[in-house]
């Protein structure tokens, strides 16, 4: 069984260029529609987001709380419930065995692609694992319907998978509370990757962990991605994690994608004032220069400011920013930004000292 | 000679769980000593992972937990002697706390200004609403807010950064000389984090408040602290001047901690992501 798993093509073969991106999100709008005391309210959590994720890459998504990043990934995973609704746009995956539009699938078809093609690593490992059942039951609950193996074969498969991820198969007999936070998170990662899914969504998998443990867990995600050739959508607000892990990076602000590019380009040459601020305000060991804080607070998504949503806090805001929402424009190869100022003159966006 | 602001001397805290048959002992804080000078306000940082005993230590400094062994003195007075209601109020007006998650610290059904007003009434003996309002407005101004912005608002109407600043303003109402801040920025968004961090600097430099900053984030610790201690399993493994310790840690655990910090600057070095794992084919 272990040999079978080893025969999965290595990432070297999968690196061959493929025409279609694995995930295409096209002009996606997902709003929370709430009726409160007879008044309709709309919270525009995801507003006109387009992005593509290629095969075999780690795509990072950064943004603060209530920037809509959780709503976006839920929408991508097809895991939304009212009041969150898709208003416009589409989410299409092109898996190896065919294309799928998430919002045109029946519930049965959707549940068939879950776990085997599309899986999810969640933040709180304690709320994923049932505290009163052993870890092996969690594997059975999640993965058994999606793999061909049963009984002893299934146990072999799970043990082989754990060994591949350098985990001791003895954890299967443990209860969640007996494992440390880092170990639990590794188990949930093993759980999410048991069917070698093509697309993995990781929602702040290391935020609750200590620094020493965090590095090991990130190395594990990187290794899995390279071994399986999967694509990972990695969500965190920690910019240092993005710098070290992701291949491409998208920055969300108030429900919109404001910048996207290769991670290195975004860090070296941010083209949106919000990103520029985020990067320059990161405290670093060895750097004693005072850091400037950004004034103001993120806007409410129920009543966002007109025009560019960042303009009330933006040091570069000009007149047009208050009136018109900037479109996403590719200014440098593979590097898009939604900023009027940068589109007029990219040199004006600079990291604030 | 003027006594120190705070003396922590060989402090121990042992928790016992279970009963007669299965007794389990957790040595949460093991022989920790440090002191803060009265005339030199500073940011003193306690670094440690979860389970290192840093929050237990904070609880003892705030006099909400009693040490099993050792002594903590505030301005020369043993905290154990502070028992009467009057003494406790007096102590609380000098030593204030700020917690990790401002959304947990405030009751969602209560307007945030009520916390500020009750602090003003209790600690500053403001008898009239006008006197209390003046007091509250003054401390809100120290954190870059004003009573007009805050009055009548509920916690959910404010951002995490704003709410944490209100929590700091509440702590400042009584003009404390020491603030114990337990992970005050770990729940706050990146773009708002620096406002809170810079505020601590301002409190130290302009208002002479000493701050005990408890964190696991080495980068912000480097940015604001004057001195620090690193704790592992209840013990202090290394301590001293913050910049010296973080630039060149000596103890194996501190070195490990320092190396685990992900840095943006090292991100594009080739060896940055092996993390002790076997190299994989690329």
């Amino acid at each position: 069984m272990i040999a079978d798993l080893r025969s999965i093509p290595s990432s070297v073969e999968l690196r061959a260029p493929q025409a279609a991106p694995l995930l295409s999100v096209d002009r996606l709008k997902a709003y929370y529609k709430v009726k409160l005391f007879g008044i309709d309210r709309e919270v525009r959590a995801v507003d006109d987001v387009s992005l593509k994720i290629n095969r075999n890459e780690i795509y990072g998504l950064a943004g603060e709380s209530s920037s809509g990043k959780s709503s976006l990934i839920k929408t991508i995973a097809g895991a939304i419930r009212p009041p969150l609704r898709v208003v416009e746009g589409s989410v299409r995956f092109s898996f190896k065995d065919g294309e799928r539009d998430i919002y045109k699938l029946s519930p049965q078809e959707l549940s068939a692609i879950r776990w085997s093609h599309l899986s999810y690593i969640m933040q709180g490992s304690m709320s994923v694992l049932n505290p009163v059942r052993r870890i092996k039951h969690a594997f059975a609950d999640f993965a058994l319907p999606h793999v061909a193996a049963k009984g002893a074969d299934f146990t072999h498969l799970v043990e082989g998978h754990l060994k591949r991820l350098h985990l001791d198969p003895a954890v299967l007999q443990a209860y969640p509370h007996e494992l440390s936070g880092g170990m639990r998170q590794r188990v949930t990662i093993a759980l999410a990757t048991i069917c070698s899914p093509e697309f993995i969504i990781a929602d702040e998998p290391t935020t609750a962990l200590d620094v020493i443990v965090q590095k090991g867990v990130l190395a594990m995600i990187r290794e899995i991605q390279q071994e399986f050739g999967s694509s990972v959508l990695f969500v965190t607000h920690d910019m240092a994690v993005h710098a070290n892990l992701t291949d491409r990076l998208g920055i969300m602000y108030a429900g919109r994608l404001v910048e996207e590019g290769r991670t290195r380009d975004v860090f070296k040459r941010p083209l949106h004032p919000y990103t520029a601020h985020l990067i320059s305000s990161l405290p670093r060991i060895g750097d004693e220069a005072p850091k400037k804080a950004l004034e103001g607070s993120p806007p409410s998504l129920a009543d966002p400011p007109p025009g560019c949503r960042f303009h009330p806090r933006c040091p570069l805001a000009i007149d047009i920013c208050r009136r018109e929402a900037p479109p996403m424009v590719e200014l440098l190869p593979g590097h898009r930004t939604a900023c009027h100022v940068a589109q007029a003159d990219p040199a004006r966006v600079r990291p604030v000292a | 000679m003027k006594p120190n602001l705070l003396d922590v001397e060989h402090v121990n805290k042992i928790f016992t769980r279970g009963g007669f048959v299965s007794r389990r002992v957790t040595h949460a804080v093991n022989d920790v000593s440090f002191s803060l000078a009265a005339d030199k306000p500073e940011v003193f940082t306690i670094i440690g992972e979860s389970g290192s005993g840093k929050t237990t230590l904070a609880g003892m400094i705030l006099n909400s937990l009693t040490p099993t062994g050792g002594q903590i003195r505030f301005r020369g007075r043993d905290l154990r002697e502070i028992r009467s209601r009057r003494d406790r109020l007096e102590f609380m007006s000098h030593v204030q706390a700020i917690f990790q998650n401002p959304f947990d610290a405030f009751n969602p059904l209560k307007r945030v200004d009520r916390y500020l007003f009750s602090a003003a009434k209790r600690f500053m003996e403001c008898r009239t609403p006008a006197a209390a309002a003046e007091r509250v407005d003054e401390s809100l101004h120290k954190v870059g807010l004003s009573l007009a912005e805050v009055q009548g608002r509920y916690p959910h109407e404010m951002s995490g950064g704003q709410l944490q600043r209100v929590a700091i303003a509440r702590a400042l109402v009584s003009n404390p000389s020491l603030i114990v801040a337990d992970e005050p920025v770990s729940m706050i968004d990146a773009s708002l984090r620096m406002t809170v961090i810079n505020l601590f600097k301002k409190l130290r430099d302009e208002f002479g408040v000493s701050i005990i900053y408890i964190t696991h984030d080495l980068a912000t610790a480097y940015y604001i602290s004057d001195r620090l201690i690193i704790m592992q399993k209840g013990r202090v493994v290394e301590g001293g001047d913050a910049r010296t310790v973080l630039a060149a840690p000596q103890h194996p655990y501190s070195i490990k901690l320092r190396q685990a910090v992900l840095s943006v600057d090292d991100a594009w070095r080739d060896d940055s992501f092996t993390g002790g794992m076997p190299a994989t084919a690329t």
Side-chain angles (χ1 to χ4, degrees), chain B residues 189-265:
Chain B
D189 288 316
S191 78
L192 301 169
R193 194 169 289 173
M194 284 327 274
T195 53
V196 175
I197 293 285
N198 285 338
L199 180 59
F200 284 137
K201 274 195 156 174
K202 183 176 154 195
L203 293 182
R204 176 192 65 190
D205 299 339
E206 289 176 28
F207 304 109
V209 183
S210 283
I211 290 156
I212 293 182
Y213 174 59
I214 299 173
T215 188
H216 61 254
D217 179 2
L218 273 65
T220 56
Y222 184 91
Y223 180 64
I224 60 164
S225 9
D226 299 301
R227 286 190 299 150
L228 58 79
I229 52 175
I230 297 176
M231 288 182 75
Q232 183 197 19
K233 293 179 183 157
R235 284 178 188 277
V236 175
V237 295
E238 193 166 350
D241 175 68
R243 306 252 147 95
T244 320
V245 172
L246 288 178
Q250 301 297 319
H251 189 275
Y253 177 75
S254 329
I255 295 170
K256 206 172 146 196
L257 206 59
R258 174 68 184 81
Q259 282 170 347
V261 176
L262 296 175
S263 140
V264 174
D265 303 315

Side-chain angles (χ1 to χ4, degrees), chain A residues 230-304:
Chain A
S230 325
S231 299
V232 180
L233 172 57
F234 194 96
V235 182
T236 178
H237 62 261
D238 188 339
M239 293 302 279
V241 172
H242 281 301
N244 283 279
L245 184 73
T246 59
D247 300 317
R248 284 198 306 139
L249 179 60
I251 312 279
M252 275 192 92
Y253 184 80
R256 290 204 178 126
L257 201 61
V258 294
E259 181 164 3
E260 183 195 54
R262 286 198 306 142
T263 307
R264 187 177 188 152
D265 297 343
V266 173
F267 273 90
K268 299 274 169 200
R269 184 80 192 81
L271 287 176
H272 193 280
Y274 175 65
T275 321
H277 167 79
L278 270 189
I279 290 164
S280 60
S281 72
L282 277 177
R284 293 166 198 203
I285 294 178
D287 176 6
E288 288 164 35
K291 306 280 180 196
K292 252 179 105 167
L294 199 57
E295 295 298 316
S297 304
S300 151
L301 293 174
D303 182 23

Side-chain angles (χ1 to χ4, degrees), chain A residues 304-323:
Chain A
C308 171
R309 289 180 177 179
F310 186 59
H311 85 255
R313 301 172 80 188
C314 182
L316 304 175
I318 48 174
D319 207 31
I320 188 171
C321 305
R322 291 176 195 104
R323 287 179 279 115

Side-chain angles (χ1 to χ4, degrees), chain A residues 58-81:
Chain A
I58 300 188
Y59 185 94
L61 193 62
E64 33 206 321
S65 43
S66 78
S67 63
K69 59 188 197 308
S70 296
S71 305
L72 175 62
I73 54 174
K74 275 188 211 154
T75 317
I76 288 174
I80 60 169
R81 284 197 193 139

